[in-house]
């Protein structure tokens, strides 16, 4: 049973997933996470019964039409996080800290994450990077904000990586990844996202750290999996990366639906009488009289 603190809003789902729930799933049933960016995607994730929702900065590409995540700012994340949390989803809501919201130091990071919590309703924040983020993570945890780490292919490091490249292929990189993962755990993360790393390396990290890992393009050895919801629903047209499995083709279905609407409008088949509003009988009769008078006499209504 969950206890509601005095003054907490009524109506929260009793199934609400919490940070301790997630932490306790290490080595247990796989955790399921999908991204969501607005009320409709949050409702879909909620009704499908996933464990965690990520308001990812992939927002930039899949919703805002940007080339990468570097242009996403804190206001974007706050606005979209608020749209997700307004539907009061049961999954734990993790919100990405956008590029430059934590790179300038712990104080800026706490203020940025504080906005995500206060204005966006974030229940945890996620940030990218390894040992260089330890101070920032400590400050966030000190400010009572749960933190998710993100290692491997970190999209905010696009310029340094020279593209979206699988990380951890060389032994030196594997050693770095393991040391980074341990440092993040030491700093206080409760969950670790591993993106774009060989399956064997992700499984090794998963074995070594006491917190659950969630993989994306990281093989089946993690404690859970995350996909971008637009990818799994087939809402992003064009070829998908190899780690994406498409469970629907909603883009094609949506194009077909809009095309059929356009055909109906052009053929004057939409709207029908049933899809239109009717005048009450007396108003219709008075209107008929008025129209006839107008036709007879010309001029105004009276
Ligand atoms: O922004 C995002 O969607 C992410 C996932 C790919 C993990 O960080």
């Amino acid at each position: 049973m969950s206890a509601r603190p005095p003054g907490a809003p009524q109506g929260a789902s009793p199934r609400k997933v919490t940070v301790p729930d997630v932490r306790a799933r290490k080595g247990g049933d796989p955790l399921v996470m999908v991204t969501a960016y607005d009320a409709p995607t949050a409702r879909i994730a909620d009704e499908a019964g996933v464990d965690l929702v990520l308001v990812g900065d992939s927002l930039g590409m899949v919703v805002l039409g940007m080339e990468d995540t570097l242009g996403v700012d804190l206001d974007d994340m706050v606005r979209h996080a608020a749209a997700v949390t307004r539907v009061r989803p049961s999954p734990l809501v993790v919100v990405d800290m956008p590029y430059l919201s934590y790179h300038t130091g712990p104080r800026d990071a706490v203020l940025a994450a504080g906005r995500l919590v206060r204005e966006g309703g974030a229940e945890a924040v996620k940030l990218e990077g390894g040992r260089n983020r330890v101070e920032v993570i400590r400050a966030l945890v000190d400010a009572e904000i749960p933190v998710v780490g993100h290692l491997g292919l970190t999209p905010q490091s696009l310029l340094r990586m020279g593209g979206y490249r699988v990380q951890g292929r060389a032994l030196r990189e594997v050693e770095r990844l393991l040391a980074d993962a341990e440092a993040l755990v030491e700093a206080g993360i409760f969950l670790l996202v591993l993106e774009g790393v060989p399956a064997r390396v992700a499984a090794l990290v998963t074995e070594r750290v006491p917190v659950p890992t969630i993989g994306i393009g990281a093989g089946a050895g993690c404690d859970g999996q995350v996909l971008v919801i637009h990818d799994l629903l087939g809402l992003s047209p064009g070829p998908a990366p190899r780690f994406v499995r498409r469970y629907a083709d909603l883009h094609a279905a949506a194009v077909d639906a809009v095309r059929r609407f356009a055909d109906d409008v052009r053929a004057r088949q939409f709207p029908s009488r049933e899809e239109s509003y009717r005048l009450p009988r007396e108003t219709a009769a008075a209107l008929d009289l008025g129209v006839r008078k107008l036709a007879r006499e010309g001029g105004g209504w009276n």
Side-chain angles (χ1 to χ4, degrees), residues 132-201:
N132 53 342
R133 304 288 175 235
V134 159
E135 259 191 81
V136 162
I137 293 170
R138 285 212 181 102
L140 292 171
V141 173
D142 249 20
E144 313 296 349
I145 300 174
V147 182
V148 178
H150 185 160
L151 288 175
L153 190 169
T154 46
Q156 292 175 13
S157 321
L158 173 69
L159 301 177
R160 176 176 57 72
M161 292 183 306
Y164 298 110
R165 297 180 197 292
V166 171
Q167 304 290 301
R169 282 194 152 130
L171 192 57
R172 204 162 36 84
E173 286 177 26
V174 178
E175 284 164 3
R176 197 183 313 140
L177 203 60
L178 284 168
D180 280 341
E182 276 160 16
L184 294 187
V185 169
E186 187 70 23
I189 61 163
F190 72 97
L191 180 68
L192 177 61
V193 170
L194 294 171
E195 178 170 357
V197 294
R200 172 122 189 249
V201 175

Side-chain angles (χ1 to χ4, degrees), residues 273 276-289 291 301:
R273 277 170 66 84
S276 306
Y277 296 105
R278 288 190 203 145
L279 265 183
R281 204 189 307 257
E282 321 77 73
T283 316
L287 189 62
D288 285 345
L289 266 181
V291 170
W301 284 100

Side-chain angles (χ1 to χ4, degrees), residues 44-108:
I44 292 168
D46 189 24
E47 285 179 36
V50 304
D51 302 301
L52 303 105
V53 156
L54 171 66
V55 186
D57 60 355
S58 48
L59 168 78
M61 286 96 88
V62 295
V63 176
L64 302 179
M66 297 174 178
E67 285 284 307
D68 50 49
T69 60
L70 300 180
V72 177
D73 67 20
L74 189 60
D75 288 338
D76 294 326
M77 295 310 298
V78 167
R79 187 169 301 112
H80 284 268
V84 165
T85 57
R86 258 178 224 127
V87 312
R88 306 174 72 78
S90 296
L92 187 79
V93 179
V94 179
V95 181
D96 260 342
M97 297 196 68
Y99 179 58
L100 281 191
S101 68
Y102 58 95
H103 303 71
T104 50
R107 184 183 150 75
D108 287 351

Side-chain angles (χ1 to χ4, degrees), residues 254-264 266:
V255 170
D256 179 59
V258 175
R259 220 173 247 148
R260 287 189 290 117
F261 166 64
D263 289 347
D264 283 351
R266 288 175 187 135

